[in-house]
Amino acid sequence: MIKAKQSLSIVILFLYVGGFVYQALFHNTYNILFMDERIIIDDIYNQWFLFDRYNRFEMLEDGILKQILIFIIEFIYGGDLRYGRIWSNLYSLLIGPFVLISNSFVITAARILNIIIFLGLLAITKLFVHKKDSMFFLIFIISIPGSHYLLSIPKPDILALVLSLLALHYYKKQEYGRTFFLFGLAFGSKVTALFIFVPFLLIYFTKDFQPLKITIKHLALFIISFFIANPILIVPPIFSTLPNFQKLYFSWITSQATWGQQEYYQAAYSEGWLSFASD
């Protein structure tokens, strides 16, 4: 019976993921891409073609110095702080060489890499779920609202989930240093990792709290890995010629949380959804 369930899980997974792989082969022209997907494609091209999209170095003549500066700023900042550079740089490293083939190939390859990371997520969940429950858990994962969207275009959410689950895996093994380090990378990839990190902290401080000196070390690892994911935030706001990157980061995060609302969580919006669902 268990083998039959496992076989059924494989079939469901193959059909589900296969559909997204097939979908990745179409509508892969840059001009028709949704703005969310353009973020990662633009990052790849800016790093590989050393394109100064914000004219930060227009005062410099074209040459090796200008190209080095463009690469550095794209590697550590890019210009969009809502997602961590660790996500963009991973895609640029693995997908970048395909810019030599065609735009469509780059777009399709980025989508497929996103699907591969999702498969990695499913593989990691096996560390937490018993084999007999694997089919139920698989159906649960692919039924989560929004999962279809996250598999349709490259987004950092899946990478943040992978890093968070790896952190929880090391927490089970009582390797707290790796736990906090991975959570820092996850939070740096996308702020939504806080929805896992905060409950983890509550459990950690109530059940597995370590001596203060060790806890400070673990929190320091979290901060260090967060800065690895977002290197530009290391730059302190003391230079008048440079932007306040910490303020920009906070602005990006808060603007994404409100989505044009006056408050972060307006009850009226939830009531609107309930009213719509009940009609």
Side-chain angles (χ1 to χ4, degrees), residues 145-192:
S147 61
H148 176 87
Y149 176 70
L150 294 178
L151 275 169
S152 298
I153 64 174
K155 297 279 286 183
D157 304 68
I158 298 177
L159 178 62
L161 273 174
V162 167
L163 293 169
S164 296
L165 289 182
L166 281 175
L168 293 177
H169 169 64
Y170 284 110
Y171 174 64
K172 286 177 58 180
K173 299 173 66 175
Q174 297 185 333
E175 296 184 28
Y176 302 123
R178 292 185 178 183
T179 298
F180 278 88
F181 186 84
L182 286 167
F183 265 127
L185 292 179
F187 176 54
S189 299
K190 193 169 183 183
V191 69
T192 50

mmCIF file of all heavy atoms in Angstrom, residues 145-192:
data_model
loop_
_atom_site.group_PDB
_atom_site.id
_atom_site.type_symbol
_atom_site.label_atom_id
_atom_site.label_comp_id
_atom_site.label_asym_id
_atom_site.label_seq_id
_atom_site.Cartn_x
_atom_site.Cartn_y
_atom_site.Cartn_z
ATOM 1 N N PRO A 145 -2.260 28.070 -1.895
ATOM 2 C CA PRO A 145 -2.545 29.218 -2.774
ATOM 3 C C PRO A 145 -1.272 29.994 -3.090
ATOM 4 O O PRO A 145 -0.480 30.319 -2.219
ATOM 5 C CB PRO A 145 -3.511 30.067 -1.922
ATOM 6 C CG PRO A 145 -4.146 29.099 -0.991
ATOM 7 C CD PRO A 145 -3.094 28.073 -0.677
ATOM 8 N N GLY A 146 -1.068 30.255 -4.368
ATOM 9 C CA GLY A 146 0.112 30.991 -4.793
ATOM 10 C C GLY A 146 1.250 30.118 -5.274
ATOM 11 O O GLY A 146 2.199 30.611 -5.899
ATOM 12 N N SER A 147 1.199 28.802 -4.980
ATOM 13 C CA SER A 147 2.297 27.922 -5.394
ATOM 14 C C SER A 147 2.410 27.862 -6.916
ATOM 15 O O SER A 147 3.518 27.764 -7.454
ATOM 16 C CB SER A 147 2.097 26.521 -4.822
ATOM 17 O OG SER A 147 0.883 25.938 -5.286
ATOM 18 N N HIS A 148 1.276 27.911 -7.593
ATOM 19 C CA HIS A 148 1.307 27.900 -9.061
ATOM 20 C C HIS A 148 2.066 29.108 -9.590
ATOM 21 O O HIS A 148 2.888 29.001 -10.514
ATOM 22 C CB HIS A 148 -0.126 27.891 -9.607
ATOM 23 C CG HIS A 148 -0.208 27.970 -11.098
ATOM 24 N ND1 HIS A 148 -0.161 26.856 -11.907
ATOM 25 C CD2 HIS A 148 -0.295 29.040 -11.943
ATOM 26 C CE1 HIS A 148 -0.226 27.230 -13.180
ATOM 27 N NE2 HIS A 148 -0.318 28.554 -13.227
ATOM 28 N N TYR A 149 1.816 30.264 -8.991
ATOM 29 C CA TYR A 149 2.494 31.490 -9.435
ATOM 30 C C TYR A 149 3.995 31.412 -9.196
ATOM 31 O O TYR A 149 4.800 31.807 -10.054
ATOM 32 C CB TYR A 149 1.902 32.695 -8.708
ATOM 33 C CG TYR A 149 2.586 33.999 -9.014
ATOM 34 C CD1 TYR A 149 2.461 34.608 -10.256
ATOM 35 C CD2 TYR A 149 3.370 34.634 -8.050
ATOM 36 C CE1 TYR A 149 3.089 35.805 -10.538
ATOM 37 C CE2 TYR A 149 4.002 35.829 -8.325
ATOM 38 C CZ TYR A 149 3.855 36.417 -9.559
ATOM 39 O OH TYR A 149 4.495 37.600 -9.834
ATOM 40 N N LEU A 150 4.390 30.892 -8.032
ATOM 41 C CA LEU A 150 5.812 30.819 -7.701
ATOM 42 C C LEU A 150 6.567 29.858 -8.605
ATOM 43 O O LEU A 150 7.780 29.983 -8.771
ATOM 44 C CB LEU A 150 5.984 30.391 -6.237
ATOM 45 C CG LEU A 150 5.480 31.375 -5.178
ATOM 46 C CD1 LEU A 150 5.680 30.791 -3.783
ATOM 47 C CD2 LEU A 150 6.192 32.719 -5.304
ATOM 48 N N LEU A 151 5.865 28.902 -9.184
ATOM 49 C CA LEU A 151 6.511 27.973 -10.104
ATOM 50 C C LEU A 151 6.447 28.467 -11.547
ATOM 51 O O LEU A 151 7.158 27.947 -12.408
ATOM 52 C CB LEU A 151 5.862 26.591 -10.003
ATOM 53 C CG LEU A 151 6.414 25.696 -8.903
ATOM 54 C CD1 LEU A 151 5.534 24.476 -8.719
ATOM 55 C CD2 LEU A 151 7.839 25.281 -9.203
ATOM 56 N N SER A 152 5.605 29.444 -11.808
ATOM 57 C CA SER A 152 5.451 29.936 -13.175
ATOM 58 C C SER A 152 6.601 30.843 -13.583
ATOM 59 O O SER A 152 7.040 30.834 -14.736
ATOM 60 C CB SER A 152 4.122 30.691 -13.326
ATOM 61 O OG SER A 152 3.031 29.829 -13.069
ATOM 62 N N ILE A 153 7.082 31.658 -12.638
ATOM 63 C CA ILE A 153 8.181 32.583 -12.920
ATOM 64 C C ILE A 153 9.187 32.524 -11.777
ATOM 65 O O ILE A 153 8.831 32.194 -10.645
ATOM 66 C CB ILE A 153 7.684 34.030 -13.115
ATOM 67 C CG1 ILE A 153 7.061 34.561 -11.825
ATOM 68 C CG2 ILE A 153 6.707 34.119 -14.267
ATOM 69 C CD1 ILE A 153 6.687 36.019 -11.906
ATOM 70 N N PRO A 154 10.445 32.836 -12.039
ATOM 71 C CA PRO A 154 11.457 32.802 -10.974
ATOM 72 C C PRO A 154 11.181 33.853 -9.902
ATOM 73 O O PRO A 154 11.048 35.037 -10.201
ATOM 74 C CB PRO A 154 12.762 33.116 -11.722
ATOM 75 C CG PRO A 154 12.491 32.811 -13.158
ATOM 76 C CD PRO A 154 11.038 33.122 -13.362
ATOM 77 N N LYS A 155 11.082 33.390 -8.664
ATOM 78 C CA LYS A 155 10.897 34.261 -7.510
ATOM 79 C C LYS A 155 11.788 33.731 -6.372
ATOM 80 O O LYS A 155 12.068 32.529 -6.311
ATOM 81 C CB LYS A 155 9.435 34.279 -7.058
ATOM 82 C CG LYS A 155 8.461 34.832 -8.075
ATOM 83 C CD LYS A 155 8.437 36.355 -8.069
ATOM 84 C CE LYS A 155 7.708 36.880 -6.854
ATOM 85 N NZ LYS A 155 7.616 38.361 -6.860
ATOM 86 N N PRO A 156 12.210 34.592 -5.459
ATOM 87 C CA PRO A 156 13.112 34.146 -4.386
ATOM 88 C C PRO A 156 12.413 33.387 -3.264
ATOM 89 O O PRO A 156 13.078 32.865 -2.365
ATOM 90 C CB PRO A 156 13.691 35.467 -3.863
ATOM 91 C CG PRO A 156 12.619 36.469 -4.119
ATOM 92 C CD PRO A 156 11.973 36.044 -5.416
ATOM 93 N N ASP A 157 11.092 33.303 -3.296
ATOM 94 C CA ASP A 157 10.352 32.666 -2.207
ATOM 95 C C ASP A 157 10.758 31.210 -2.007
ATOM 96 O O ASP A 157 10.885 30.737 -0.866
ATOM 97 C CB ASP A 157 8.847 32.742 -2.485
ATOM 98 C CG ASP A 157 8.368 34.170 -2.694
ATOM 99 O OD1 ASP A 157 8.760 34.765 -3.725
ATOM 100 O OD2 ASP A 157 7.616 34.685 -1.855
ATOM 101 N N ILE A 158 10.940 30.499 -3.117
ATOM 102 C CA ILE A 158 11.279 29.082 -3.011
ATOM 103 C C ILE A 158 12.671 28.911 -2.422
ATOM 104 O O ILE A 158 12.894 28.049 -1.561
ATOM 105 C CB ILE A 158 11.178 28.396 -4.385
ATOM 106 C CG1 ILE A 158 9.743 28.482 -4.915
ATOM 107 C CG2 ILE A 158 11.603 26.941 -4.290
ATOM 108 C CD1 ILE A 158 9.550 27.890 -6.293
ATOM 109 N N LEU A 159 13.615 29.748 -2.857
ATOM 110 C CA LEU A 159 14.965 29.687 -2.292
ATOM 111 C C LEU A 159 14.938 29.998 -0.799
ATOM 112 O O LEU A 159 15.622 29.335 -0.005
ATOM 113 C CB LEU A 159 15.883 30.667 -3.015
ATOM 114 C CG LEU A 159 17.321 30.752 -2.487
ATOM 115 C CD1 LEU A 159 18.022 29.406 -2.627
ATOM 116 C CD2 LEU A 159 18.103 31.846 -3.202
ATOM 117 N N ALA A 160 14.145 30.981 -0.396
ATOM 118 C CA ALA A 160 14.030 31.324 1.022
ATOM 119 C C ALA A 160 13.456 30.156 1.817
ATOM 120 O O ALA A 160 13.891 29.892 2.951
ATOM 121 C CB ALA A 160 13.159 32.566 1.191
ATOM 122 N N LEU A 161 12.496 29.441 1.227
ATOM 123 C CA LEU A 161 11.932 28.268 1.889
ATOM 124 C C LEU A 161 12.958 27.143 2.013
ATOM 125 O O LEU A 161 13.039 26.480 3.053
ATOM 126 C CB LEU A 161 10.716 27.770 1.112
ATOM 127 C CG LEU A 161 9.368 28.396 1.461
ATOM 128 C CD1 LEU A 161 8.296 27.907 0.491
ATOM 129 C CD2 LEU A 161 8.969 28.072 2.897
ATOM 130 N N VAL A 162 13.731 26.926 0.965
ATOM 131 C CA VAL A 162 14.775 25.896 0.998
ATOM 132 C C VAL A 162 15.763 26.181 2.125
ATOM 133 O O VAL A 162 16.107 25.290 2.928
ATOM 134 C CB VAL A 162 15.504 25.822 -0.358
ATOM 135 C CG1 VAL A 162 16.776 24.987 -0.244
ATOM 136 C CG2 VAL A 162 14.591 25.224 -1.421
ATOM 137 N N LEU A 163 16.232 27.422 2.196
ATOM 138 C CA LEU A 163 17.201 27.799 3.227
ATOM 139 C C LEU A 163 16.589 27.690 4.623
ATOM 140 O O LEU A 163 17.255 27.258 5.572
ATOM 141 C CB LEU A 163 17.694 29.223 2.969
ATOM 142 C CG LEU A 163 18.534 29.412 1.697
ATOM 143 C CD1 LEU A 163 18.750 30.894 1.405
ATOM 144 C CD2 LEU A 163 19.883 28.709 1.842
ATOM 145 N N SER A 164 15.310 28.067 4.757
ATOM 146 C CA SER A 164 14.641 27.985 6.056
ATOM 147 C C SER A 164 14.493 26.542 6.519
ATOM 148 O O SER A 164 14.713 26.223 7.700
ATOM 149 C CB SER A 164 13.265 28.658 5.982
ATOM 150 O OG SER A 164 13.385 30.039 5.710
ATOM 151 N N LEU A 165 14.109 25.657 5.598
ATOM 152 C CA LEU A 165 13.952 24.248 5.961
ATOM 153 C C LEU A 165 15.297 23.608 6.286
ATOM 154 O O LEU A 165 15.389 22.757 7.177
ATOM 155 C CB LEU A 165 13.247 23.489 4.841
ATOM 156 C CG LEU A 165 11.764 23.809 4.650
ATOM 157 C CD1 LEU A 165 11.170 22.949 3.545
ATOM 158 C CD2 LEU A 165 10.984 23.590 5.951
ATOM 159 N N LEU A 166 16.334 24.004 5.562
ATOM 160 C CA LEU A 166 17.675 23.515 5.907
ATOM 161 C C LEU A 166 18.072 23.983 7.303
ATOM 162 O O LEU A 166 18.685 23.232 8.070
ATOM 163 C CB LEU A 166 18.699 24.013 4.876
ATOM 164 C CG LEU A 166 18.752 23.267 3.547
ATOM 165 C CD1 LEU A 166 19.714 23.954 2.592
ATOM 166 C CD2 LEU A 166 19.163 21.812 3.757
ATOM 167 N N ALA A 167 17.694 25.224 7.625
ATOM 168 C CA ALA A 167 17.976 25.747 8.964
ATOM 169 C C ALA A 167 17.264 24.912 10.026
ATOM 170 O O ALA A 167 17.852 24.553 11.057
ATOM 171 C CB ALA A 167 17.541 27.206 9.054
ATOM 172 N N LEU A 168 16.000 24.571 9.781
ATOM 173 C CA LEU A 168 15.245 23.754 10.733
ATOM 174 C C LEU A 168 15.825 22.338 10.835
ATOM 175 O O LEU A 168 15.793 21.720 11.906
ATOM 176 C CB LEU A 168 13.775 23.697 10.318
ATOM 177 C CG LEU A 168 13.006 25.024 10.415
ATOM 178 C CD1 LEU A 168 11.580 24.847 9.905
ATOM 179 C CD2 LEU A 168 13.006 25.554 11.841
ATOM 180 N N HIS A 169 16.341 21.844 9.722
ATOM 181 C CA HIS A 169 16.981 20.526 9.728
ATOM 182 C C HIS A 169 18.182 20.525 10.674
ATOM 183 O O HIS A 169 18.352 19.593 11.496
ATOM 184 C CB HIS A 169 17.411 20.157 8.313
ATOM 185 C CG HIS A 169 18.303 18.962 8.242
ATOM 186 N ND1 HIS A 169 17.901 17.694 8.610
ATOM 187 C CD2 HIS A 169 19.611 18.843 7.839
ATOM 188 C CE1 HIS A 169 18.901 16.836 8.448
ATOM 189 N NE2 HIS A 169 19.947 17.514 7.987
ATOM 190 N N TYR A 170 19.017 21.570 10.579
ATOM 191 C CA TYR A 170 20.174 21.647 11.471
ATOM 192 C C TYR A 170 19.757 21.949 12.915
ATOM 193 O O TYR A 170 20.453 21.574 13.863
ATOM 194 C CB TYR A 170 21.166 22.697 10.970
ATOM 195 C CG TYR A 170 21.967 22.214 9.782
ATOM 196 C CD1 TYR A 170 21.773 22.745 8.510
ATOM 197 C CD2 TYR A 170 22.914 21.203 9.940
ATOM 198 C CE1 TYR A 170 22.500 22.292 7.429
ATOM 199 C CE2 TYR A 170 23.646 20.733 8.864
ATOM 200 C CZ TYR A 170 23.436 21.276 7.609
ATOM 201 O OH TYR A 170 24.162 20.809 6.535
ATOM 202 N N TYR A 171 18.611 22.602 13.062
ATOM 203 C CA TYR A 171 18.092 22.836 14.420
ATOM 204 C C TYR A 171 17.731 21.506 15.079
ATOM 205 O O TYR A 171 17.992 21.301 16.268
ATOM 206 C CB TYR A 171 16.879 23.754 14.352
ATOM 207 C CG TYR A 171 16.187 23.948 15.666
ATOM 208 C CD1 TYR A 171 16.841 24.572 16.735
ATOM 209 C CD2 TYR A 171 14.879 23.499 15.858
ATOM 210 C CE1 TYR A 171 16.202 24.749 17.955
ATOM 211 C CE2 TYR A 171 14.233 23.680 17.076
ATOM 212 C CZ TYR A 171 14.899 24.303 18.118
ATOM 213 O OH TYR A 171 14.270 24.475 19.325
ATOM 214 N N LYS A 172 17.127 20.593 14.302
ATOM 215 C CA LYS A 172 16.810 19.266 14.825
ATOM 216 C C LYS A 172 18.082 18.531 15.260
ATOM 217 O O LYS A 172 18.063 17.756 16.223
ATOM 218 C CB LYS A 172 16.075 18.444 13.763
ATOM 219 C CG LYS A 172 14.629 18.844 13.532
ATOM 220 C CD LYS A 172 14.003 18.026 12.413
ATOM 221 C CE LYS A 172 14.070 16.546 12.703
ATOM 222 N NZ LYS A 172 13.457 15.742 11.605
ATOM 223 N N LYS A 173 19.179 18.806 14.563
ATOM 224 C CA LYS A 173 20.452 18.164 14.877
ATOM 225 C C LYS A 173 21.222 18.940 15.946
ATOM 226 O O LYS A 173 22.363 18.594 16.254
ATOM 227 C CB LYS A 173 21.293 18.038 13.610
ATOM 228 C CG LYS A 173 20.640 17.186 12.530
ATOM 229 C CD LYS A 173 21.424 17.210 11.231
ATOM 230 C CE LYS A 173 22.768 16.562 11.346
ATOM 231 N NZ LYS A 173 23.475 16.475 10.050
ATOM 232 N N GLN A 174 20.595 20.017 16.449
ATOM 233 C CA GLN A 174 21.176 20.873 17.496
ATOM 234 C C GLN A 174 22.459 21.554 17.038
ATOM 235 O O GLN A 174 23.346 21.851 17.851
ATOM 236 C CB GLN A 174 21.420 20.072 18.781
ATOM 237 C CG GLN A 174 20.138 19.532 19.400
ATOM 238 C CD GLN A 174 20.365 18.847 20.728
ATOM 239 O OE1 GLN A 174 21.452 18.330 21.002
ATOM 240 N NE2 GLN A 174 19.347 18.819 21.571
ATOM 241 N N GLU A 175 22.529 21.830 15.747
ATOM 242 C CA GLU A 175 23.650 22.602 15.207
ATOM 243 C C GLU A 175 23.162 24.045 15.043
ATOM 244 O O GLU A 175 22.811 24.492 13.952
ATOM 245 C CB GLU A 175 24.117 22.004 13.878
ATOM 246 C CG GLU A 175 24.666 20.587 14.034
ATOM 247 C CD GLU A 175 25.219 20.027 12.725
ATOM 248 O OE1 GLU A 175 25.669 20.833 11.879
ATOM 249 O OE2 GLU A 175 25.192 18.798 12.548
ATOM 250 N N TYR A 176 23.151 24.758 16.154
ATOM 251 C CA TYR A 176 22.495 26.058 16.196
ATOM 252 C C TYR A 176 23.227 27.126 15.375
ATOM 253 O O TYR A 176 22.591 28.053 14.856
ATOM 254 C CB TYR A 176 22.348 26.513 17.648
ATOM 255 C CG TYR A 176 21.573 25.534 18.499
ATOM 256 C CD1 TYR A 176 22.131 24.983 19.654
ATOM 257 C CD2 TYR A 176 20.286 25.142 18.145
ATOM 258 C CE1 TYR A 176 21.426 24.074 20.430
ATOM 259 C CE2 TYR A 176 19.568 24.232 18.912
ATOM 260 C CZ TYR A 176 20.155 23.696 20.052
ATOM 261 O OH TYR A 176 19.450 22.794 20.805
ATOM 262 N N GLY A 177 24.525 27.019 15.273
ATOM 263 C CA GLY A 177 25.275 27.981 14.475
ATOM 264 C C GLY A 177 24.845 27.960 13.017
ATOM 265 O O GLY A 177 24.561 29.005 12.410
ATOM 266 N N ARG A 178 24.778 26.770 12.436
ATOM 267 C CA ARG A 178 24.323 26.636 11.051
ATOM 268 C C ARG A 178 22.861 27.060 10.909
ATOM 269 O O ARG A 178 22.470 27.622 9.882
ATOM 270 C CB ARG A 178 24.499 25.194 10.579
ATOM 271 C CG ARG A 178 25.954 24.765 10.429
ATOM 272 C CD ARG A 178 26.052 23.365 9.853
ATOM 273 N NE ARG A 178 27.431 22.957 9.670
ATOM 274 C CZ ARG A 178 27.807 21.799 9.128
ATOM 275 N NH1 ARG A 178 26.869 20.934 8.711
ATOM 276 N NH2 ARG A 178 29.081 21.508 8.999
ATOM 277 N N THR A 179 22.082 26.785 11.946
ATOM 278 C CA THR A 179 20.668 27.159 11.912
ATOM 279 C C THR A 179 20.510 28.667 11.733
ATOM 280 O O THR A 179 19.796 29.132 10.843
ATOM 281 C CB THR A 179 19.967 26.721 13.202
ATOM 282 O OG1 THR A 179 20.031 25.303 13.318
ATOM 283 C CG2 THR A 179 18.511 27.169 13.201
ATOM 284 N N PHE A 180 21.177 29.433 12.576
ATOM 285 C CA PHE A 180 21.048 30.897 12.500
ATOM 286 C C PHE A 180 21.679 31.443 11.227
ATOM 287 O O PHE A 180 21.176 32.413 10.645
ATOM 288 C CB PHE A 180 21.682 31.538 13.737
ATOM 289 C CG PHE A 180 20.775 31.548 14.930
ATOM 290 C CD1 PHE A 180 20.745 30.472 15.808
ATOM 291 C CD2 PHE A 180 19.938 32.620 15.177
ATOM 292 C CE1 PHE A 180 19.906 30.469 16.910
ATOM 293 C CE2 PHE A 180 19.089 32.634 16.270
ATOM 294 C CZ PHE A 180 19.074 31.550 17.142
ATOM 295 N N PHE A 181 22.769 30.837 10.783
ATOM 296 C CA PHE A 181 23.414 31.298 9.551
ATOM 297 C C PHE A 181 22.483 31.124 8.354
ATOM 298 O O PHE A 181 22.328 32.040 7.532
ATOM 299 C CB PHE A 181 24.713 30.526 9.326
ATOM 300 C CG PHE A 181 25.526 31.031 8.160
ATOM 301 C CD1 PHE A 181 26.394 32.094 8.306
ATOM 302 C CD2 PHE A 181 25.416 30.434 6.909
ATOM 303 C CE1 PHE A 181 27.139 32.566 7.236
ATOM 304 C CE2 PHE A 181 26.153 30.895 5.835
ATOM 305 C CZ PHE A 181 27.011 31.961 5.999
ATOM 306 N N LEU A 182 21.840 29.969 8.258
ATOM 307 C CA LEU A 182 20.933 29.706 7.138
ATOM 308 C C LEU A 182 19.676 30.571 7.220
ATOM 309 O O LEU A 182 19.156 31.019 6.194
ATOM 310 C CB LEU A 182 20.565 28.223 7.110
ATOM 311 C CG LEU A 182 21.680 27.292 6.629
ATOM 312 C CD1 LEU A 182 21.343 25.839 6.932
ATOM 313 C CD2 LEU A 182 21.938 27.474 5.141
ATOM 314 N N PHE A 183 19.204 30.811 8.428
ATOM 315 C CA PHE A 183 18.051 31.700 8.567
ATOM 316 C C PHE A 183 18.405 33.122 8.122
ATOM 317 O O PHE A 183 17.561 33.830 7.565
ATOM 318 C CB PHE A 183 17.535 31.710 10.001
ATOM 319 C CG PHE A 183 16.412 30.740 10.241
ATOM 320 C CD1 PHE A 183 16.478 29.820 11.279
ATOM 321 C CD2 PHE A 183 15.280 30.741 9.429
ATOM 322 C CE1 PHE A 183 15.446 28.922 11.506
ATOM 323 C CE2 PHE A 183 14.238 29.844 9.641
ATOM 324 C CZ PHE A 183 14.326 28.934 10.686
ATOM 325 N N GLY A 184 19.620 33.545 8.370
ATOM 326 C CA GLY A 184 20.047 34.859 7.905
ATOM 327 C C GLY A 184 20.053 34.952 6.391
ATOM 328 O O GLY A 184 19.622 35.956 5.813
ATOM 329 N N LEU A 185 20.516 33.885 5.730
ATOM 330 C CA LEU A 185 20.490 33.854 4.263
ATOM 331 C C LEU A 185 19.051 33.850 3.749
ATOM 332 O O LEU A 185 18.737 34.507 2.749
ATOM 333 C CB LEU A 185 21.230 32.616 3.755
ATOM 334 C CG LEU A 185 22.745 32.566 3.972
ATOM 335 C CD1 LEU A 185 23.303 31.250 3.429
ATOM 336 C CD2 LEU A 185 23.444 33.741 3.296
ATOM 337 N N ALA A 186 18.192 33.087 4.435
ATOM 338 C CA ALA A 186 16.788 33.005 4.020
ATOM 339 C C ALA A 186 16.105 34.356 4.149
ATOM 340 O O ALA A 186 15.418 34.816 3.232
ATOM 341 C CB ALA A 186 16.050 31.960 4.858
ATOM 342 N N PHE A 187 16.290 35.015 5.286
ATOM 343 C CA PHE A 187 15.698 36.331 5.503
ATOM 344 C C PHE A 187 16.274 37.344 4.529
ATOM 345 O O PHE A 187 15.567 38.220 4.018
ATOM 346 C CB PHE A 187 15.942 36.773 6.946
ATOM 347 C CG PHE A 187 15.460 38.168 7.236
ATOM 348 C CD1 PHE A 187 14.158 38.536 6.961
ATOM 349 C CD2 PHE A 187 16.316 39.104 7.783
ATOM 350 C CE1 PHE A 187 13.705 39.823 7.227
ATOM 351 C CE2 PHE A 187 15.877 40.391 8.054
ATOM 352 C CZ PHE A 187 14.569 40.746 7.776
ATOM 353 N N GLY A 188 17.559 37.213 4.243
ATOM 354 C CA GLY A 188 18.181 38.110 3.266
ATOM 355 C C GLY A 188 17.666 37.884 1.861
ATOM 356 O O GLY A 188 17.596 38.813 1.058
ATOM 357 N N SER A 189 17.278 36.638 1.558
ATOM 358 C CA SER A 189 16.729 36.335 0.234
ATOM 359 C C SER A 189 15.362 36.977 0.058
ATOM 360 O O SER A 189 15.071 37.583 -0.970
ATOM 361 C CB SER A 189 16.614 34.825 0.031
ATOM 362 O OG SER A 189 17.879 34.216 0.114
ATOM 363 N N LYS A 190 14.526 36.818 1.069
ATOM 364 C CA LYS A 190 13.218 37.480 1.067
ATOM 365 C C LYS A 190 12.700 37.572 2.495
ATOM 366 O O LYS A 190 12.804 36.615 3.261
ATOM 367 C CB LYS A 190 12.208 36.749 0.183
ATOM 368 C CG LYS A 190 10.966 37.605 -0.063
ATOM 369 C CD LYS A 190 10.055 37.067 -1.137
ATOM 370 C CE LYS A 190 8.892 38.030 -1.346
ATOM 371 N NZ LYS A 190 7.916 37.535 -2.324
ATOM 372 N N VAL A 191 12.142 38.722 2.798
ATOM 373 C CA VAL A 191 11.731 39.019 4.171
ATOM 374 C C VAL A 191 10.647 38.074 4.667
ATOM 375 O O VAL A 191 10.456 37.915 5.882
ATOM 376 C CB VAL A 191 11.263 40.487 4.259
ATOM 377 C CG1 VAL A 191 9.962 40.685 3.504
ATOM 378 C CG2 VAL A 191 11.120 40.938 5.709
ATOM 379 N N THR A 192 9.923 37.411 3.778
ATOM 380 C CA THR A 192 8.860 36.499 4.194
ATOM 381 C C THR A 192 9.382 35.316 5.002
ATOM 382 O O THR A 192 8.590 34.632 5.655
ATOM 383 C CB THR A 192 8.100 35.966 2.968
ATOM 384 O OG1 THR A 192 9.034 35.472 1.998
ATOM 385 C CG2 THR A 192 7.262 37.064 2.331
#
